[in-house]
Amino acid sequence: MFVCICNAVNHTTIANAINEGHSTADSVYSACGVQPKCRKCSVFIEGMIEETHGPINQDAAAELPQYGAD
């Protein structure tokens, strides 16, 4: 099943990135070799992350590098 339609990234690819330790949607996008576009899938990706790693620590996530940040 495709999770990210814009970039044609499927559930398995995203699950693999999360299992490798990626804990933010932007980190998952990067691990999959894509950049976020519409970001509609980020909510689903964050849900997958929470299922795997537990609740996302928003303070820690805010300190991680983000796509497009200078």
Side-chain angles (χ1 to χ4, degrees):
M1 166 178 88
F2 283 108
V3 173
C4 179
I5 302 299
C6 296
N7 290 301
V9 181
N10 66 31
H11 184 273
T12 302
T13 302
I14 290 173
N16 288 341
I18 293 169
N19 290 331
E20 290 172 0
H22 297 278
S23 60
T24 65
D26 284 336
S27 178
V28 170
Y29 289 124
S30 179
C32 294
V34 300
Q35 291 190 356
K37 294 182 182 180
C38 77
R39 288 194 173 271
K40 289 181 181 178
C41 60
S42 65
V43 173
F44 188 80
I45 293 170
E46 288 169 359
M48 290 176 66
I49 292 167
E50 287 184 7
E51 286 179 7
T52 304
H53 298 296
I56 297 172
N57 180 335
Q58 294 299 326
D59 293 331
E63 296 175 11
L64 296 172
Q66 303 293 313
Y67 265 115
D70 293 323

